[in-house]
Amino acid sequence: HHGNMTIGQICHSSGAVATCCPRPPLPAPDDKSLYCWMVSMSNGVEPVLTRDHYKSKHSIFACDAWSVYSDGDLSPVPAVNMGEFDSGWASWGSWKNTGVFLKAWDAVFHEGKWVLHGWTVKVDPDTVWFPTRLQWHLKSYGSHDLVYVRNAGAAFLGPIEVFSAGTVERLASRMKQDCPYFGESGEDGWIGDCLKVLKIEMKQDQALLTNDRNPAACNNGWVVAFHPFKTLDVYGQCFGIASTAH
């Protein structure tokens, strides 16, 4: 049962009819299962990467459950088509993609898959990452804790974002009214501000993300994610180096 969700319920709509059922309780506090999602454009470099991840069962496709949100056809990848992405180029030289991610979060809440898993992870298609490593990093946190795990450093970066089920529950009930979108920020800046407003505790993880486009920087067996790798060639190099690193 998933679809149009009201708080405390998960609804499945077929056409004009929505059937709702009570939302299941959150998973056990020690649940480390992962629901992972990404937004992938249907043209440019992203669909090439996303299709390859799907074929290889890498990235989000190695998680316990996953969703892909797109602006068009990604076949053979099963994706939710969210319609046209209206993002545009922002003044600071990055995509103004918050509107797209507001839509995507809405779809995450509506689909309701998150509620069956201890942790929800949003990643970008050009992020090389290892779900099993992330589970090790989450050992000291409970899925009911109001926490999110982020990269170390000043800014909350979007290549990988990690949220407990308790945090997603709060986002689902309050994001719309408490986190208005002002139009001039990237998605990671906006979600970072939103989490502050909702009093979600930030946990910095020094080894969550390495931001370096040189595949040689992927030579680490404990770091969860490496970014950005925008072609199959460099993505594959990084994945290979990271997979065999100690």
Side-chain angles (χ1 to χ4, degrees), residues 35-40 47 50-55 57 60-61 65-82 111 113:
Y35 163 61
C36 307
W37 61 274
M38 68 170 54
V39 168
S40 173
T50 304
R51 287 187 175 108
D52 191 69
H53 305 336
Y54 178 68
K55 193 181 79 198
K57 295 196 166 46
I60 66 169
F61 305 105
W66 48 265
S67 297
V68 181
Y69 303 108
S70 187
D71 59 345
D73 180 38
L74 277 183
S75 57
V77 183
V80 176
N81 187 337
M82 297 197 305
E111 272 198 288
K113 292 179 189 176

Side-chain angles (χ1 to χ4, degrees), residues 61-112:
F61 305 105
C63 294
D64 301 284
W66 48 265
S67 297
V68 181
Y69 303 108
S70 187
D71 59 345
D73 180 38
L74 277 183
S75 57
V77 183
V80 176
N81 187 337
M82 297 197 305
E84 201 176 334
F85 290 173
D86 176 28
S87 34
W89 198 247
S91 52
W92 66 92
S94 179
W95 288 100
K96 270 195 303 199
N97 55 3
T98 307
V100 172
F101 281 92
L102 267 171
K103 261 192 188 172
W105 271 111
D106 209 38
V108 166
F109 304 147
H110 281 68
E111 272 198 288

Side-chain angles (χ1 to χ4, degrees), residues 1-77:
H1 290 286
H2 46 263
N4 298 323
M5 179 174 143
T6 50
I7 295 130
Q9 293 185 315
I10 289 178
C11 308
H12 184 75
S13 54
S14 67
V17 186
T19 32
C20 296
C21 32
R23 205 191 62 208
L26 291 184
D30 62 351
D31 186 310
K32 293 289 184 273
S33 70
L34 303 176
Y35 163 61
C36 307
W37 61 274
M38 68 170 54
V39 168
S40 173
M41 298 193 71
S42 58
N43 53 45
V45 298
E46 291 189 344
V48 177
L49 292 167
T50 304
R51 287 187 175 108
D52 191 69
H53 305 336
Y54 178 68
K55 193 181 79 198
S56 318
K57 295 196 166 46
H58 291 159
S59 185
I60 66 169
F61 305 105
C63 294
D64 301 284
W66 48 265
S67 297
V68 181
Y69 303 108
S70 187
D71 59 345
D73 180 38
L74 277 183
S75 57
V77 183

Side-chain angles (χ1 to χ4, degrees), residues 148-229:
Y148 72 102
V149 183
R150 53 156 271 194
N151 57 288
F156 177 50
L157 298 176
I160 181 166
E161 304 173 7
V162 184
F163 309 90
S164 68
T167 295
V168 180
E169 181 178 47
R170 180 164 288 189
L171 286 170
S173 62
R174 292 180 46 192
M175 182 184 274
K176 272 220 164 73
Q177 70 263 32
D178 292 348
C179 302
Y181 164 48
F182 302 114
E184 252 305 299
S185 77
E187 174 265 339
D188 33 22
W190 164 77
I191 191 81
D193 290 346
C194 180
L195 292 159
K196 269 191 208 116
V197 168
L198 297 182
K199 309 256 187 298
I200 306 292
E201 192 184 350
M202 173 188 79
K203 302 286 188 184
Q204 284 198 338
D205 183 338
Q206 302 284 348
L208 183 66
L209 175 69
T210 293
N211 243 341
D212 186 330
R213 59 188 67 239
N214 179 357
C218 303
N219 189 13
N220 187 307
W222 176 241
V223 169
V224 174
F226 307 89
H227 171 272
F229 296 98

